[in-house]
C-alpha cells in the first residue's frame, strides 16, 4: 500500500476542529507542567505520553467517513466506526515509537546536547513507528 | 501563570501540527501513527530543559515510558471496541481515559516506587 499526502483532506476539516485540537493539546501540556510542579517530574512525566491527539482525530475521522457515505445516500455509521478503529490501530503502533522516544531521552539527555537528543528521539519515534507499521502490513 | 500560558500555546501548536500531518496522510492506519506523536512530550521537555534542569527532564522521560505503555493499551482497546461494538468514538475515547490513567499510574508505581 502506497503512502500519500492528500491536501484536500484539510478542506474537510472545519476551523473549530482545529481549535478543539489546539485547545486540548495546550490544556494537556499546561496540565502536565502543573502536575509536575505539584507532584514532581515522576508523576508529571506520565502525562508526556497522554493521548492528546487521538480522541479528537478518531472522532473527526469517524465524522468525515460517515458524512462521505451519507452524501452518497448510504448509511455511513459502520464505515465511520471502522475508519476510527483503523486510525486507533495505527496509533497503537505509533505508541511503540513513543516508548522508544522516552527511552532515548531518558538515557541520553544528561550525557549529550539536549536539542540533539530531542531531535534524534523524534526521528527515532518516526523510524520505529513506520517500521512497526510496515512489519504489521507485511504479516 | 505565564509559564502555564507558554506551555499551553507551545503544546497546542505542536499537537496541531502533528494532527494536521495525520489528517493529510493516507492510508488511515499510517496516518494513525501521528496520533501517537510525541507532541506533548516535545513541548514539555523543551520548556523543562530551558527552565528546569536536565535531571528533571530525565525523570520526566523515565515516567513517560509508563505513559507510553498505557497509550499502547488505550489505543489497542479503542481500536478493538470501535471495530466490534456500536459506540461513537467520542464516547469510547473519553471512557477509556481512566484506563490510560490506571495503567500509567500502575506501571509507574510497580516499576519505580516499589
Amino acid at each position: 500500500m502506497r503512502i500519500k499526502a492528500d491536501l484536500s483532506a484539510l478542506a474537510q476539516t472545519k476551523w473549530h476542529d482545529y481549535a478543539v485540537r489546539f485547545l486540548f493539546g495546550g490544556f494537556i501540556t499546561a496540565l502536565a507542567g502543573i502536575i509536575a510542579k505539584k507532584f514532581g517530574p515522576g508523576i508529571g512525566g506520565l502525562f508526556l505520553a497522554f493521548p492528546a491527539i487521538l480522541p479528537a482525530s478518531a472522532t473527526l475521522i469517524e465524522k468525515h467517513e460517515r458524512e462521505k457515505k451519507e452524501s452518497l445516500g448510504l448509511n455511513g455509521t459502520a464505515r465511520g466506526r471502522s475508519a476510527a478503529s483503523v486510525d486507533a490501530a495505527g496509533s497503537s503502533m505509533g505508541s511503540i515509537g513513543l516508548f522508544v522516544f522516552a527511552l532515548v531521552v531518558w538515557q541520553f539527555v544528561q550525557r549529550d546536547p539536549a536539542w540533539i537528543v530531542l531531535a534524534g528521539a523524534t526521528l527515532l519515534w518516526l523510524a520505529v513507528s513506520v517500521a512497526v507499521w510496515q512489519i504489521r502490513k507485511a504479516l | 501563570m505565564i509559564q502555564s500560558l507558554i506551555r499551553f500555546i507551545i503544546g497546542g501548536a505542536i499537537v496541531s501540527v502533528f494532527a494536521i500531518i495525520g489528517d493529510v496522510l493516507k492510508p488511515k492506519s499510517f496516518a494513525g501513527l501521528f496520533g501517537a506523536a510525541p507532541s506533548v512530550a516535545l513541548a514539555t521537555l523543551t520548556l523543562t530543559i530551558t527552565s528546569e534542569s536536565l535531571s528533571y527532564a530525565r525523570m520526566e522521560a523515565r515516567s513517560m515510558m509508563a505513559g507510553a505503555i498505557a497509550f499502547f493499551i488505550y489505543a489497542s482497546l479503542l481500536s478493538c471496541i470501535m471495530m466490534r461494538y456500536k459506540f461513537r468514538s467520542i464516547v469510547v475515547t473519553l471512557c477509556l481515559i481512566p484506563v490510560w490513567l490506571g495503567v500509567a499510574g500502575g506501571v509507574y508505581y510497580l516499576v519505580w516506587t516499589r
Side-chain angles (χ1 to χ4, degrees), chain B residues 69-104:
Chain B
I69 292 167
F71 193 117
F72 177 79
I73 291 167
Y74 173 90
S76 301
L77 278 175
L78 175 61
S79 179
C80 287
I81 292 170
M82 290 306 294
M83 192 59 86
R84 292 183 188 177
Y85 301 99
K86 296 180 176 179
F87 297 116
R88 300 291 287 268
S89 58
I90 184 74
V91 175
V92 184
T93 53
L94 294 178
C95 287
L96 284 176
I97 293 290
V99 173
W100 181 87
L101 286 168
V103 175

Side-chain angles (χ1 to χ4, degrees), chain A:
Chain A
M1 197 178 290
R2 279 189 62 191
I3 297 159
K4 57 183 178 180
D6 176 17
L7 293 176
S8 69
L10 292 176
Q12 287 182 294
T13 308
K14 296 184 175 69
W15 70 268
H16 54 79
D17 294 325
Y18 291 117
V20 164
R21 291 190 286 193
F22 180 88
L23 292 173
F24 193 62
F27 173 73
I28 294 300
T29 309
L31 184 70
I34 292 166
I35 290 171
K37 275 265 182 281
K38 198 164 175 63
F39 300 103
I43 300 292
L46 296 173
F47 288 83
L48 270 57
F50 188 85
I53 300 175
L54 185 53
S57 294
T59 308
L60 203 60
I61 285 165
E62 183 188 30
K63 193 179 95 179
H64 284 170
E65 290 296 324
R66 195 177 59 241
E67 286 173 354
K68 214 187 283 180
K69 279 277 174 187
E70 284 171 355
S71 70
L72 300 169
L74 302 166
N75 185 349
T77 310
R79 174 61 182 258
R81 274 200 302 270
S82 168
S85 169
V86 170
D87 181 68
S91 292
S92 71
M93 292 179 243
S95 67
I96 297 168
L98 199 62
F99 183 89
V100 173
F101 174 96
L103 182 70
V104 168
V105 176
W106 177 46
Q107 285 298 310
F108 296 102
V109 78
Q110 273 188 298
R111 275 198 255 164
D112 298 297
W115 307 114
I116 293 172
V117 172
L118 282 184
T122 305
L123 287 175
L124 212 54
W125 159 77
L126 185 62
V128 169
S129 301
V130 172
V132 171
W133 181 81
Q134 283 180 325
I135 290 166
R136 178 72 185 81
K137 281 281 160 202
L139 292 176

Side-chain angles (χ1 to χ4, degrees), chain B residues 24-47:
Chain B
V24 299
L25 289 172
K26 284 186 176 174
K28 284 280 171 258
S29 62
F30 184 80
L33 298 178
F34 289 82
S39 45
V40 175
L42 280 172
T44 303
L45 289 169
T46 302
L47 291 167

